[in-house]
Amino acid sequence: DSGVTQTPKHLITATGQRVTLRCSPRSGDLSVYWYQQSLDQGLQFLIQYYNGEERAKGNILERFSAQQFPDLHSELNLSSLELGDSALYFCASSPLWGPSTDTQYFGPGTRLTVL
Amino acid sequence: AQKITQTQPGMFVQEKEAVTLDCTYDTSDQSYGLFWYKQPSSGEMIFLIYQGSYDEQNATEGRYSLNFQKARKSANLVISASQLGDSAMYFCAMRASFNNAGNMLTFGGGTRLMVKP
């Protein structure tokens, strides 16, 4: 158990819908990262927050947004869902936001299926 | 831009034998970190081992060791005394040094390891 929690574990929805994925980082970690794992794209970084502020953006679609709250939990919002958004979405956390030594610990993931 | 290459899509190893999973990387950064993660069939990503670009010794964590060859830009994972529970996908990842452009991990395509009894 990494200490990172994600809810829900599974999510099945229809095209055009909106969903929210939730992540609680390890105790004491200030950085939260979101990654998407799909069969065709592999593991891709979406976005990073540090202590409530956005720090880095990757291949995140405009239909997707995220935020980190004062209690440091984070939510990833996916809207106007398409079939291609079906994937495993991971949240990871780390204590800091910069050093290359900073290990990211992953949550169990949310498996999103868009029908 | 950073790139991680794992050239072995799948590998078999006999139980109790050692196995090496290959990883090569490309970066122009001088300071970076290399990581290996394990993803069992249940889906979670488990951190295994870390190697810093300035570390002079190869990292070891129990049965895992990292064969780091900086000049060749390779960071191979060695698993000694393979166990059935080692059957999983293994991902090599790199993190650039502190910069404002991003601190994300860049992942390779993964290697599926299957341990035979």
Side-chain angles (χ1 to χ4, degrees):
Chain A
D1 187 346
S2 67
V4 180
T5 60
Q6 288 187 250
T7 56
K9 193 167 177 60
H10 300 278
L11 199 49
I12 301 174
T13 188
T15 54
Q17 295 298 305
R18 182 179 189 274
V19 297
T20 298
L21 313 184
R22 184 189 167 102
C23 167
S24 292
R26 295 187 319 156
S27 177
D29 283 359
L30 299 178
S31 265
V32 169
Y33 309 77
W34 287 96
Y35 292 86
Q36 179 194 58
Q37 185 179 30
S38 62
L39 284 174
D40 53 345
Q41 302 276 359
L43 266 158
Q44 289 205 319
F45 167 74
L46 295 178
I47 197 164
Q48 177 200 358
Y49 279 82
Y50 174 77
N51 204 19
E53 293 189 3
E54 182 185 303
R55 295 308 308 186
K57 250 183 176 178
N59 297 322
I60 187 166
L61 299 171
E62 285 191 11
R63 301 183 284 108
F64 296 0
S65 65
Q67 54 183 327
Q68 186 179 26
F69 295 86
D71 67 352
L72 300 179
H73 91 271
S74 177
E75 293 181 356
L76 180 66
N77 300 297
L78 315 176
S79 62
S80 303
L81 286 167
E82 301 175 0
L83 295 178
D85 298 327
S86 295
L88 186 55
Y89 290 85
F90 284 109
C91 168
S93 76
S94 70
L96 303 173
W97 69 285
S100 59
T101 55
D102 206 22
T103 297
Q104 293 179 28
Y105 293 90
F106 282 70
T110 293
R111 185 168 295 281
L112 173 67
T113 303
V114 182
L115 301 175
Chain B
Q2 298 157 37
K3 187 177 180 182
I4 297 282
T5 302
Q6 295 179 253
T7 57
Q8 307 151 312
M11 287 189 69
F12 283 96
V13 64
Q14 200 67 40
E15 192 180 8
K16 299 181 185 177
E17 292 186 351
V19 63
T20 297
L21 307 184
D22 294 341
C23 171
T24 58
Y25 60 92
D26 189 20
T27 181
S28 56
D29 291 315
Q30 296 302 308
S31 176
Y32 49 88
L34 295 157
F35 301 81
W36 278 90
Y37 288 85
K38 172 184 178 182
Q39 186 177 38
S41 57
S42 51
E44 71 267 34
M45 294 284 287
I46 303 167
F47 166 70
L48 295 179
I49 195 166
Y50 160 81
Q51 178 83 43
S53 58
Y54 291 119
D55 294 341
E56 293 187 353
Q57 293 199 335
N58 287 340
T60 60
E61 288 285 350
R63 293 187 300 111
Y64 304 108
S65 61
L66 203 152
N67 184 1
F68 181 48
Q69 298 187 41
K70 194 171 182 177
R72 298 181 61 184
K73 293 191 174 180
S74 73
N76 298 338
L77 177 70
V78 181
I79 305 174
S80 62
S82 296
Q83 302 172 356
L84 295 178
D86 293 335
S87 294
M89 281 289 287
Y90 288 82
F91 291 94
C92 179
M94 179 168 60
R95 181 172 183 170
S97 60
F98 179 95
N99 63 67
N100 288 326
N103 305 289
M104 73 290 286
L105 291 172
T106 299
F107 285 87
T111 295
R112 181 170 297 283
L113 178 66
M114 291 152 282
V115 181
K116 297 187 289 186

PDB file of all heavy atoms in Angstrom, chain A residues 9-10 37 88 90 107-111, chain B residues 38-46 87-89 112:
ATOM      1  N   LYS A   9     -12.720   3.186  -7.800  1.00  0.00           N
ATOM      2  CA  LYS A   9     -11.798   2.226  -8.405  1.00  0.00           C
ATOM      3  C   LYS A   9     -12.189   1.958  -9.855  1.00  0.00           C
ATOM      4  O   LYS A   9     -11.325   1.800 -10.711  1.00  0.00           O
ATOM      5  CB  LYS A   9     -11.798   0.926  -7.607  1.00  0.00           C
ATOM      6  CG  LYS A   9     -10.657  -0.007  -7.974  1.00  0.00           C
ATOM      7  CD  LYS A   9     -10.522  -1.118  -6.958  1.00  0.00           C
ATOM      8  CE  LYS A   9      -9.430  -2.103  -7.339  1.00  0.00           C
ATOM      9  NZ  LYS A   9      -8.123  -1.459  -7.433  1.00  0.00           N
ATOM     10  N   HIS A  10     -13.474   1.874 -10.088  1.00  0.00           N
ATOM     11  CA  HIS A  10     -13.998   1.655 -11.437  1.00  0.00           C
ATOM     12  C   HIS A  10     -15.102   2.675 -11.704  1.00  0.00           C
ATOM     13  O   HIS A  10     -15.849   3.048 -10.792  1.00  0.00           O
ATOM     14  CB  HIS A  10     -14.599   0.248 -11.588  1.00  0.00           C
ATOM     15  CG  HIS A  10     -13.621  -0.858 -11.349  1.00  0.00           C
ATOM     16  ND1 HIS A  10     -12.743  -1.292 -12.315  1.00  0.00           N
ATOM     17  CD2 HIS A  10     -13.385  -1.611 -10.253  1.00  0.00           C
ATOM     18  CE1 HIS A  10     -12.003  -2.279 -11.817  1.00  0.00           C
ATOM     19  NE2 HIS A  10     -12.370  -2.489 -10.579  1.00  0.00           N
ATOM     20  N   GLN A  37      -3.073   5.989 -18.426  1.00  0.00           N
ATOM     21  CA  GLN A  37      -2.490   4.808 -19.058  1.00  0.00           C
ATOM     22  C   GLN A  37      -3.514   4.185 -19.995  1.00  0.00           C
ATOM     23  O   GLN A  37      -4.574   3.711 -19.577  1.00  0.00           O
ATOM     24  CB  GLN A  37      -2.058   3.778 -18.020  1.00  0.00           C
ATOM     25  CG  GLN A  37      -1.326   2.577 -18.634  1.00  0.00           C
ATOM     26  CD  GLN A  37      -0.875   1.564 -17.611  1.00  0.00           C
ATOM     27  OE1 GLN A  37      -1.494   1.393 -16.559  1.00  0.00           O
ATOM     28  NE2 GLN A  37       0.233   0.878 -17.873  1.00  0.00           N
ATOM     29  N   LEU A  88      -6.855   3.838 -17.714  1.00  0.00           N
ATOM     30  CA  LEU A  88      -6.581   3.769 -16.277  1.00  0.00           C
ATOM     31  C   LEU A  88      -5.943   5.092 -15.887  1.00  0.00           C
ATOM     32  O   LEU A  88      -4.940   5.495 -16.485  1.00  0.00           O
ATOM     33  CB  LEU A  88      -5.647   2.586 -16.000  1.00  0.00           C
ATOM     34  CG  LEU A  88      -5.312   2.216 -14.560  1.00  0.00           C
ATOM     35  CD1 LEU A  88      -6.569   1.983 -13.738  1.00  0.00           C
ATOM     36  CD2 LEU A  88      -4.433   0.963 -14.547  1.00  0.00           C
ATOM     37  N   PHE A  90      -4.119   7.309 -13.117  1.00  0.00           N
ATOM     38  CA  PHE A  90      -3.352   7.215 -11.877  1.00  0.00           C
ATOM     39  C   PHE A  90      -3.129   8.589 -11.278  1.00  0.00           C
ATOM     40  O   PHE A  90      -2.873   9.571 -11.987  1.00  0.00           O
ATOM     41  CB  PHE A  90      -1.971   6.607 -12.134  1.00  0.00           C
ATOM     42  CG  PHE A  90      -1.976   5.125 -12.350  1.00  0.00           C
ATOM     43  CD1 PHE A  90      -1.733   4.601 -13.614  1.00  0.00           C
ATOM     44  CD2 PHE A  90      -2.184   4.259 -11.294  1.00  0.00           C
ATOM     45  CE1 PHE A  90      -1.720   3.232 -13.818  1.00  0.00           C
ATOM     46  CE2 PHE A  90      -2.170   2.888 -11.486  1.00  0.00           C
ATOM     47  CZ  PHE A  90      -1.936   2.384 -12.757  1.00  0.00           C
ATOM     48  N   GLY A 107      -1.121   5.783  -6.638  1.00  0.00           N
ATOM     49  CA  GLY A 107      -2.335   5.192  -6.107  1.00  0.00           C
ATOM     50  C   GLY A 107      -2.742   3.987  -6.936  1.00  0.00           C
ATOM     51  O   GLY A 107      -2.096   3.667  -7.933  1.00  0.00           O
ATOM     52  N   PRO A 108      -3.819   3.312  -6.541  1.00  0.00           N
ATOM     53  CA  PRO A 108      -4.251   2.090  -7.228  1.00  0.00           C
ATOM     54  C   PRO A 108      -4.890   2.338  -8.588  1.00  0.00           C
ATOM     55  O   PRO A 108      -5.075   1.403  -9.356  1.00  0.00           O
ATOM     56  CB  PRO A 108      -5.263   1.474  -6.262  1.00  0.00           C
ATOM     57  CG  PRO A 108      -5.775   2.638  -5.485  1.00  0.00           C
ATOM     58  CD  PRO A 108      -4.636   3.597  -5.365  1.00  0.00           C
ATOM     59  N   GLY A 109      -5.213   3.598  -8.891  1.00  0.00           N
ATOM     60  CA  GLY A 109      -5.786   3.922 -10.181  1.00  0.00           C
ATOM     61  C   GLY A 109      -7.302   3.872 -10.197  1.00  0.00           C
ATOM     62  O   GLY A 109      -7.942   3.206  -9.382  1.00  0.00           O
ATOM     63  N   THR A 110      -7.875   4.609 -11.138  1.00  0.00           N
ATOM     64  CA  THR A 110      -9.313   4.551 -11.444  1.00  0.00           C
ATOM     65  C   THR A 110      -9.443   4.097 -12.877  1.00  0.00           C
ATOM     66  O   THR A 110      -8.897   4.736 -13.784  1.00  0.00           O
ATOM     67  CB  THR A 110      -9.986   5.923 -11.275  1.00  0.00           C
ATOM     68  OG1 THR A 110      -9.970   6.304  -9.908  1.00  0.00           O
ATOM     69  CG2 THR A 110     -11.421   5.871 -11.788  1.00  0.00           C
ATOM     70  N   ARG A 111     -10.157   2.996 -13.063  1.00  0.00           N
ATOM     71  CA  ARG A 111     -10.359   2.500 -14.421  1.00  0.00           C
ATOM     72  C   ARG A 111     -11.651   3.085 -14.960  1.00  0.00           C
ATOM     73  O   ARG A 111     -12.735   2.799 -14.447  1.00  0.00           O
ATOM     74  CB  ARG A 111     -10.419   0.979 -14.466  1.00  0.00           C
ATOM     75  CG  ARG A 111     -10.508   0.439 -15.893  1.00  0.00           C
ATOM     76  CD  ARG A 111     -10.267  -1.053 -15.973  1.00  0.00           C
ATOM     77  NE  ARG A 111      -8.922  -1.451 -15.585  1.00  0.00           N
ATOM     78  CZ  ARG A 111      -7.847  -1.362 -16.347  1.00  0.00           C
ATOM     79  NH1 ARG A 111      -7.953  -0.860 -17.561  1.00  0.00           N
ATOM     80  NH2 ARG A 111      -6.677  -1.773 -15.915  1.00  0.00           N
TER      81      ARG A 111
ATOM     82  N   LYS B  38       6.853  -1.542 -10.983  1.00  0.00           N
ATOM     83  CA  LYS B  38       6.254  -2.838 -11.312  1.00  0.00           C
ATOM     84  C   LYS B  38       4.746  -2.671 -11.343  1.00  0.00           C
ATOM     85  O   LYS B  38       4.160  -2.049 -10.446  1.00  0.00           O
ATOM     86  CB  LYS B  38       6.646  -3.860 -10.238  1.00  0.00           C
ATOM     87  CG  LYS B  38       5.958  -5.204 -10.324  1.00  0.00           C
ATOM     88  CD  LYS B  38       6.360  -6.077  -9.139  1.00  0.00           C
ATOM     89  CE  LYS B  38       5.661  -7.416  -9.142  1.00  0.00           C
ATOM     90  NZ  LYS B  38       6.032  -8.240  -7.951  1.00  0.00           N
ATOM     91  N   GLN B  39       4.113  -3.231 -12.376  1.00  0.00           N
ATOM     92  CA  GLN B  39       2.659  -3.193 -12.460  1.00  0.00           C
ATOM     93  C   GLN B  39       2.114  -4.609 -12.594  1.00  0.00           C
ATOM     94  O   GLN B  39       2.120  -5.188 -13.676  1.00  0.00           O
ATOM     95  CB  GLN B  39       2.190  -2.333 -13.648  1.00  0.00           C
ATOM     96  CG  GLN B  39       0.678  -2.147 -13.673  1.00  0.00           C
ATOM     97  CD  GLN B  39       0.206  -1.236 -14.790  1.00  0.00           C
ATOM     98  OE1 GLN B  39       0.732  -1.258 -15.896  1.00  0.00           O
ATOM     99  NE2 GLN B  39      -0.816  -0.428 -14.515  1.00  0.00           N
ATOM    100  N   PRO B  40       1.655  -5.195 -11.497  1.00  0.00           N
ATOM    101  CA  PRO B  40       1.057  -6.539 -11.569  1.00  0.00           C
ATOM    102  C   PRO B  40      -0.267  -6.485 -12.310  1.00  0.00           C
ATOM    103  O   PRO B  40      -0.762  -5.399 -12.650  1.00  0.00           O
ATOM    104  CB  PRO B  40       0.853  -6.929 -10.103  1.00  0.00           C
ATOM    105  CG  PRO B  40       1.355  -5.809  -9.274  1.00  0.00           C
ATOM    106  CD  PRO B  40       1.668  -4.644 -10.160  1.00  0.00           C
ATOM    107  N   SER B  41      -0.846  -7.649 -12.512  1.00  0.00           N
ATOM    108  CA  SER B  41      -2.107  -7.718 -13.274  1.00  0.00           C
ATOM    109  C   SER B  41      -3.231  -6.968 -12.570  1.00  0.00           C
ATOM    110  O   SER B  41      -4.207  -6.569 -13.207  1.00  0.00           O
ATOM    111  CB  SER B  41      -2.501  -9.178 -13.507  1.00  0.00           C
ATOM    112  OG  SER B  41      -2.614  -9.847 -12.270  1.00  0.00           O
ATOM    113  N   SER B  42      -3.105  -6.745 -11.287  1.00  0.00           N
ATOM    114  CA  SER B  42      -4.130  -6.004 -10.540  1.00  0.00           C
ATOM    115  C   SER B  42      -4.118  -4.516 -10.887  1.00  0.00           C
ATOM    116  O   SER B  42      -5.072  -3.804 -10.588  1.00  0.00           O
ATOM    117  CB  SER B  42      -3.916  -6.188  -9.042  1.00  0.00           C
ATOM    118  OG  SER B  42      -2.571  -5.908  -8.694  1.00  0.00           O
ATOM    119  N   GLY B  43      -3.041  -4.048 -11.523  1.00  0.00           N
ATOM    120  CA  GLY B  43      -3.054  -2.695 -12.060  1.00  0.00           C
ATOM    121  C   GLY B  43      -2.279  -1.624 -11.319  1.00  0.00           C
ATOM    122  O   GLY B  43      -1.943  -0.600 -11.915  1.00  0.00           O
ATOM    123  N   GLU B  44      -1.988  -1.831 -10.037  1.00  0.00           N
ATOM    124  CA  GLU B  44      -1.298  -0.748  -9.318  1.00  0.00           C
ATOM    125  C   GLU B  44       0.145  -0.617  -9.790  1.00  0.00           C
ATOM    126  O   GLU B  44       0.720  -1.537 -10.334  1.00  0.00           O
ATOM    127  CB  GLU B  44      -1.346  -0.973  -7.798  1.00  0.00           C
ATOM    128  CG  GLU B  44      -0.478  -2.109  -7.299  1.00  0.00           C
ATOM    129  CD  GLU B  44      -1.226  -3.420  -7.203  1.00  0.00           C
ATOM    130  OE1 GLU B  44      -2.122  -3.667  -8.054  1.00  0.00           O
ATOM    131  OE2 GLU B  44      -0.900  -4.205  -6.294  1.00  0.00           O
ATOM    132  N   MET B  45       0.727   0.559  -9.580  1.00  0.00           N
ATOM    133  CA  MET B  45       2.116   0.838  -9.936  1.00  0.00           C
ATOM    134  C   MET B  45       2.937   0.861  -8.661  1.00  0.00           C
ATOM    135  O   MET B  45       2.700   1.687  -7.790  1.00  0.00           O
ATOM    136  CB  MET B  45       2.234   2.193 -10.634  1.00  0.00           C
ATOM    137  CG  MET B  45       1.560   2.254 -11.989  1.00  0.00           C
ATOM    138  SD  MET B  45       2.509   1.411 -13.244  1.00  0.00           S
ATOM    139  CE  MET B  45       3.841   2.583 -13.463  1.00  0.00           C
ATOM    140  N   ILE B  46       3.911  -0.032  -8.586  1.00  0.00           N
ATOM    141  CA  ILE B  46       4.696  -0.187  -7.371  1.00  0.00           C
ATOM    142  C   ILE B  46       6.116   0.285  -7.620  1.00  0.00           C
ATOM    143  O   ILE B  46       6.798  -0.225  -8.521  1.00  0.00           O
ATOM    144  CB  ILE B  46       4.707  -1.666  -6.916  1.00  0.00           C
ATOM    145  CG1 ILE B  46       3.274  -2.165  -6.701  1.00  0.00           C
ATOM    146  CG2 ILE B  46       5.540  -1.848  -5.653  1.00  0.00           C
ATOM    147  CD1 ILE B  46       3.157  -3.663  -6.571  1.00  0.00           C
ATOM    148  N   SER B  87       6.061 -11.976 -11.802  1.00  0.00           N
ATOM    149  CA  SER B  87       5.373 -11.876 -13.102  1.00  0.00           C
ATOM    150  C   SER B  87       4.539 -10.602 -13.118  1.00  0.00           C
ATOM    151  O   SER B  87       3.631 -10.432 -12.292  1.00  0.00           O
ATOM    152  CB  SER B  87       4.488 -13.098 -13.329  1.00  0.00           C
ATOM    153  OG  SER B  87       5.255 -14.262 -13.459  1.00  0.00           O
ATOM    154  N   ALA B  88       4.853  -9.701 -14.029  1.00  0.00           N
ATOM    155  CA  ALA B  88       4.205  -8.380 -14.066  1.00  0.00           C
ATOM    156  C   ALA B  88       4.764  -7.593 -15.240  1.00  0.00           C
ATOM    157  O   ALA B  88       5.686  -8.042 -15.931  1.00  0.00           O
ATOM    158  CB  ALA B  88       4.477  -7.608 -12.771  1.00  0.00           C
ATOM    159  N   MET B  89       4.200  -6.386 -15.441  1.00  0.00           N
ATOM    160  CA  MET B  89       4.796  -5.408 -16.356  1.00  0.00           C
ATOM    161  C   MET B  89       5.781  -4.569 -15.560  1.00  0.00           C
ATOM    162  O   MET B  89       5.520  -4.202 -14.410  1.00  0.00           O
ATOM    163  CB  MET B  89       3.720  -4.493 -16.939  1.00  0.00           C
ATOM    164  CG  MET B  89       2.922  -5.088 -18.073  1.00  0.00           C
ATOM    165  SD  MET B  89       3.873  -5.266 -19.588  1.00  0.00           S
ATOM    166  CE  MET B  89       3.994  -3.548 -20.099  1.00  0.00           C
ATOM    167  N   ARG B 112       6.894  -7.005 -20.283  1.00  0.00           N
ATOM    168  CA  ARG B 112       6.099  -7.980 -19.530  1.00  0.00           C
ATOM    169  C   ARG B 112       6.990  -9.161 -19.189  1.00  0.00           C
ATOM    170  O   ARG B 112       7.493  -9.845 -20.083  1.00  0.00           O
ATOM    171  CB  ARG B 112       4.889  -8.443 -20.340  1.00  0.00           C
ATOM    172  CG  ARG B 112       4.030  -9.459 -19.557  1.00  0.00           C
ATOM    173  CD  ARG B 112       2.712  -9.745 -20.253  1.00  0.00           C
ATOM    174  NE  ARG B 112       1.860  -8.574 -20.361  1.00  0.00           N
ATOM    175  CZ  ARG B 112       1.130  -8.054 -19.383  1.00  0.00           C
ATOM    176  NH1 ARG B 112       1.149  -8.638 -18.181  1.00  0.00           N
ATOM    177  NH2 ARG B 112       0.388  -6.999 -19.583  1.00  0.00           N
TER     178      ARG B 112
END
